[in-house]
Amino acid sequence: MNKKQKRMLIRIILSAVLLIIFNMFQVEGLLGFILNLIPYCIIGCDVLIGAFKGIMNRQPFDENFLMAIATVGAIVLKDFNEAIAVMLFYQIGELFQSYAIGKSRKSIATLMDIRPDYANVEENGNFLTVDPYEVEVGSIITILPGEKVPIDGIIIEGQTVLDVVALTGESVPKEVGINDEVLSGSVNISGLIKIQTTKEFDESTASKILDLVENASNLKSKSENFISKFARVYTPIVVYSALALATIIPIINYLTNNPVELSKWIYRALTFLVISCPCALVISIPLSFFAGIGAASSQGILIKGSNYLETLANVKLIMLDKTGTLTKGVFVVNDIHHSEDENYLIKLAAYGEYYSNHPIAKCIIKKYGKEIDETKISDVKEIAGKGIICNYKGNQLAVGNDKLMNQLKINYEKCESIGTIVHVSLEDQYLGHLVINDVIKENTEEAIEKLKEMGVKDIYMLTGDNEKVAKDVAEKVKIENIHYQLLPNEKLEIVKKILDVKPKGQKLAFVGDGINDAPALTISDIGIAMGALGSDAAIEAADVVLMDDDLLKLVKAIKLSKKTLRIVYQNIIFAIVVKVGSLFLGAFGFADMWLAIFADVGVMVIAVLNAMRILFLKKE
Ligand code: ADP
Ligand code: MG
């Protein structure tokens, strides 16, 4: 419990005790009135102030207002017990809710734990602890065992085991050594390492993720918007109905010379007001979404807003990118064809790919394995979906697929092997090609099967790779719809086409690794980036970020969103049924204020508890 909550608890206890004492020693008259005002003010002052502020801001119709007129009305009718009790239970409900929100915030806060607060730099042989903001790109920083990695970088000395659970939800520690990339937010478990930073603190993974999570609650879901609109219309209606209830029948009685019974009708109207408070809805729905986002992030699934949680639950069509999504994107060079000098071919390919981040590039550079002299290459152009053109010692070097060769009008040899073909040419001369193969991720097939079981109607594979590879992978993971040899804008066209023809309620998700598919991620109903750790483009373009490479996380994310939505609907229906029921009872005089209070607080507590279930759905 925090300070504010403790203060509230004290107020609740104090006024409850006073209420009991004053009931034991009934004091009549003015003194009694003043004495009773004490517990009322202790418990209700902030509600009264809130109501007053609401009136001054010309937006009077909120819960504070309902509670204030109901209790002031009760006091006027000399029902002090009721007035104090209404405030008391209302505040108990509020306390309960703030506690629940705190709890779900905490599960997000574990994630917040990734925020690094210092970096160790070495200067003239001395260690200095500095603010990570001050560390420039390319600096060398030291990370001791037990410390958090403050900034993304590459290990240049030492090896260790990293705990990445806060980043990915993956609890198995990761072994790393020289030349491996380390991401900020991971915790160094065993050895001392030195890294050369590759990014600024702001641009590092930990900062990016924190930004994203902190902004998540800004994007409201339709249900949340519905509730705030609902409350805006509902509360005035209730207030005017209560006014009508309090006056119409007494007026009729007066006109027909019957007993007026004004206080009886005012009492009923006040009961009606207490019952009608929409707290349960107003509170439990945002809380449910919040809990859903919290539960997801503790499993390495970042959802950028509750609206996306809602969309995710309605996903019926999924388009998957191949490289990096279905497959590991870790290519191995399997074959080299049509080349007189294999070493020369690999060398040129590696030089061409030197600046590229594409998984293909990484594997070729690894295969080459020697130092690359950057001064020999210039004017590097990466053509998405095709390959690379650059200037190598004054000659045009091209490294890429059939499309690239066609574009440059170079005669190339067709290749019959299954695999991604990377041709290499220098000026007009064709030098040969490499055949490289990717590996399908272990979980891909299982994930596709589960998605189908969950009612995803259509699964598509979109890839820039060639027909043979596409068909081979699709067959292995059982995807029926495939589109291949696509340029990034062609991927976009296909997404657009499907978006146009699909029924509106069925949502289309695009899942990609962010390389060459940011536009498709952006335009689909919901863009999901896979294994996005470290890939800025993907983190920015996507609506949902799966932190590691596991496609089963997608299944989890959809499941979690469905559960969250189910709980939201349960709460809406439950609250509305109980409210409408007790409103009728109140209006016809079958419910007194006590029942009203219990209905109100009871519904709220049950709804909040129901919402909190989401947090405990965590790991299965
Ligand atoms: P996917 O859609 O499977 O993720 P991409 O759109 O990233 O694939 O790339 C499509 C194709 O473009 C690759 O299969 C490859 O033939 C070619 N390509 C893209 N980038 C490069 C590169 N840096 N070097 C060589 N070929 C490339
Ligand atoms: Mg890709």
Side-chain angles (χ1 to χ4, degrees):
M1 259 195 197
N2 62 29
K3 254 192 206 148
K4 214 172 142 198
Q5 291 168 336
K6 276 187 193 141
R7 217 177 303 141
M8 180 53 83
L9 190 64
I10 292 171
R11 282 168 60 192
I12 289 172
I13 295 172
L14 202 64
S15 57
V17 170
L18 289 178
L19 179 68
I20 294 168
I21 294 177
F22 293 154
N23 269 301
M24 290 197 298
F25 308 99
Q26 295 277 348
V27 186
E28 299 293 323
L30 186 65
L31 183 65
F33 176 76
I34 293 172
L35 283 181
N36 272 305
L37 272 187
I38 299 173
Y40 176 74
C41 289
I42 291 178
I43 194 71
C45 50
D46 50 348
V47 174
L48 295 178
I49 293 171
F52 181 70
K53 277 191 189 153
I55 295 169
M56 297 311 282
N57 294 334
R58 286 158 204 252
Q59 286 169 322
F61 294 122
D62 62 358
E63 299 124 72
N64 288 329
F65 182 72
L66 287 181
M67 288 298 140
I69 40 175
T71 54
V72 170
I75 290 175
V76 172
L77 295 178
K78 299 211 177 72
D79 287 321
F80 288 109
N81 283 344
E82 264 101 335
I84 298 169
V86 167
M87 282 293 184
L88 202 59
F89 284 103
Y90 176 74
Q91 297 287 29
I92 290 175
E94 290 283 301
L95 177 66
F96 191 77
Q97 165 229 342
S98 98
Y99 184 69
I101 289 183
K103 208 103 202 129
S104 26
R105 199 160 270 152
K106 206 174 265 162
S107 85
I108 292 179
T110 354
L111 205 103
M112 295 301 178
D113 231 26
I114 62 178
R115 167 157 288 149
D117 19 53
Y118 64 92
N120 305 317
V121 292
E122 208 180 316
E123 228 170 69
N124 313 327
N126 296 326
F127 274 123
L128 291 178
T129 301
V130 300
D131 188 329
Y133 274 108
E134 291 168 14
V135 178
E136 278 166 35
V137 178
S139 311
I140 312 275
I141 59 175
T142 306
I143 299 141
L144 304 173
E147 287 186 330
K148 247 173 275 167
V149 177
I151 302 168
D152 296 358
I154 306 275
I155 301 189
I156 53 162
E157 199 181 311
Q159 57 186 26
T160 188
V161 179
L162 293 178
D163 175 359
V164 291
V165 67
L167 289 178
T168 62
E170 170 63 63
S171 50
V172 182
K174 196 171 141 197
E175 283 179 36
V176 289
I178 290 184
N179 282 337
D180 283 337
E181 188 181 22
V182 291
L183 299 175
S184 52
S186 37
V187 177
N188 182 4
I189 303 181
S190 58
L192 180 147
I193 49 171
K194 287 189 180 174
I195 66 169
Q196 178 161 36
T197 62
T198 49
K199 288 187 184 146
E200 286 185 17
F201 179 61
D202 268 12
E203 296 296 314
S204 286
T205 310
S207 306
K208 279 261 155 81
I209 292 173
L210 288 170
D211 273 359
L212 200 154
V213 175
E214 276 162 8
N215 293 326
S217 43
N218 292 347
L219 290 164
K220 293 267 183 292
S221 66
K222 267 198 224 130
S223 332
E224 278 173 284
N225 285 331
F226 166 74
I227 290 306
S228 31
K229 269 191 213 138
F230 175 78
R232 227 176 292 146
V233 182
Y234 170 87
T235 315
I237 292 181
V238 167
V239 172
Y240 291 125
S241 316
L243 197 63
L245 197 60
T247 51
I248 290 178
I249 296 187
I251 289 174
I252 294 174
N253 284 343
Y254 177 76
L255 294 178
T256 54
N257 284 327
N258 283 319
V260 176
E261 293 182 310
L262 184 61
S263 61
K264 173 180 144 193
W265 287 101
I266 291 183
Y267 182 82
R268 278 197 197 173
L270 294 178
T271 310
F272 182 86
L273 276 183
V274 175
I275 302 171
S276 66
C277 177
C279 320
L281 288 179
V282 172
I283 285 161
S284 77
I285 287 161
L287 184 68
S288 307
F289 281 111
F290 199 61
I293 292 177
S297 59
S298 71
Q299 299 186 44
I301 302 164
L302 298 184
I303 299 173
K304 287 192 183 170
S306 16
N307 53 338
Y308 300 121
L309 207 58
E310 209 167 35
T311 314
L312 207 51
N314 295 315
V315 164
K316 285 281 177 290
L317 304 101
I318 295 185
M319 295 189 161
L320 298 133
D321 169 52
K322 178 182 73 71
T323 315
T325 304
L326 298 171
T327 65
K328 289 188 175 163
V330 184
F331 289 87
V332 276
V333 178
N334 272 347
D335 233 339
I336 299 170
H337 290 175
H338 302 287
S339 151
E340 279 149 30
D341 182 349
E342 289 193 1
N343 292 335
Y344 184 57
L345 185 76
I346 294 179
K347 179 180 172 185
L348 284 190
Y351 270 78
E353 299 281 11
Y354 181 66
Y355 288 106
S356 169
N357 274 324
H358 202 279
I360 291 178
K362 293 197 170 139
C363 104
I364 293 177
I365 293 165
K366 193 168 166 200
K367 172 85 179 176
Y368 176 59
K370 290 178 209 142
E371 278 293 311
I372 286 175
D373 178 1
E374 297 151 51
T375 57
K376 291 186 182 159
I377 30 181
S378 59
D379 302 330
V380 183
K381 275 196 287 286
E382 177 149 14
I383 305 167
K386 291 185 180 172
I388 309 273
I389 302 175
C390 69
N391 185 327
Y392 175 77
K393 294 205 277 189
N395 294 315
Q396 186 190 57
L397 170 66
V399 184
N401 56 15
D402 294 7
K403 282 189 178 171
L404 186 71
M405 294 296 119
N406 288 333
Q407 178 185 330
L408 297 175
K409 301 201 174 64
I410 289 167
N411 273 326
Y412 60 94
E413 304 272 349
K414 275 268 169 207
C415 175
E416 296 306 319
S417 340
I418 296 182
T420 305
I421 316 295
V422 182
H423 301 285
V424 182
S425 72
L426 195 61
E427 283 298 321
D428 292 335
Q429 203 193 349
Y430 182 66
L431 299 180
H433 60 248
L434 310 167
V435 182
I436 61 180
N437 288 97
D438 197 356
V439 191
I440 296 176
K441 291 180 191 166
E442 289 88 11
N443 289 331
T444 301
E445 203 185 328
E446 189 189 344
I448 300 288
E449 196 185 313
K450 287 206 167 141
L451 287 174
K452 286 181 184 165
E453 278 170 19
M454 282 166 61
V456 176
K457 243 179 22 166
D458 291 316
I459 299 181
Y460 301 78
M461 176 173 110
L462 305 187
T463 178
D465 214 339
N466 64 43
E467 177 176 357
K468 277 197 195 111
V469 180
K471 286 194 168 151
D472 183 53
V473 173
E475 199 177 315
K476 284 183 182 143
V477 302
K478 306 206 174 62
I479 292 181
E480 288 80 23
N481 310 307
I482 57 171
H483 297 270
Y484 43 83
Q485 265 181 21
L486 301 173
L487 296 174
N489 63 319
E490 292 170 328
K491 284 190 188 175
L492 192 66
E493 287 307 316
I494 293 181
V495 176
K496 273 188 190 157
K497 221 182 268 165
I498 304 277
L499 278 175
D500 281 344
V501 297
K502 74 174 177 58
K504 216 173 160 230
Q506 305 187 352
K507 297 298 178 190
L508 169 70
F510 186 92
V511 191
D513 62 348
I515 295 181
N516 293 348
D517 42 46
L521 282 173
T522 316
I523 193 177
S524 50
D525 288 326
I526 184 161
I528 303 173
M530 282 284 299
L533 263 190
S535 156
D536 299 346
I539 290 191
E540 241 130 74
D543 308 315
V544 175
V545 179
L546 308 178
M547 307 279 270
D548 61 8
D549 283 328
D550 189 353
L551 203 58
L552 284 173
K553 284 263 164 80
L554 175 63
V555 178
K556 263 192 196 159
I558 296 182
K559 264 192 194 157
L560 194 76
S561 66
K562 287 193 167 169
K563 282 182 183 156
T564 306
L565 249 78
R566 204 176 311 139
I567 288 178
V568 166
Y569 289 136
Q570 282 167 1
N571 280 348
I572 293 183
I573 293 171
F574 174 64
I576 289 182
V577 167
V578 175
K579 287 277 139 159
V580 172
S582 33
L583 275 178
F584 272 105
L585 291 179
F588 294 110
F590 295 116
D592 61 7
M593 198 158 314
W594 291 99
L595 183 82
I597 296 166
F598 282 114
D600 183 43
V601 178
V603 171
M604 178 152 108
V605 168
I606 292 173
V608 169
L609 281 178
N610 196 23
M612 296 298 284
R613 266 177 35 203
I614 300 167
L615 277 185
F616 301 103
L617 288 174
K618 274 192 184 168
K619 316 229 155 133
E620 49 221 46

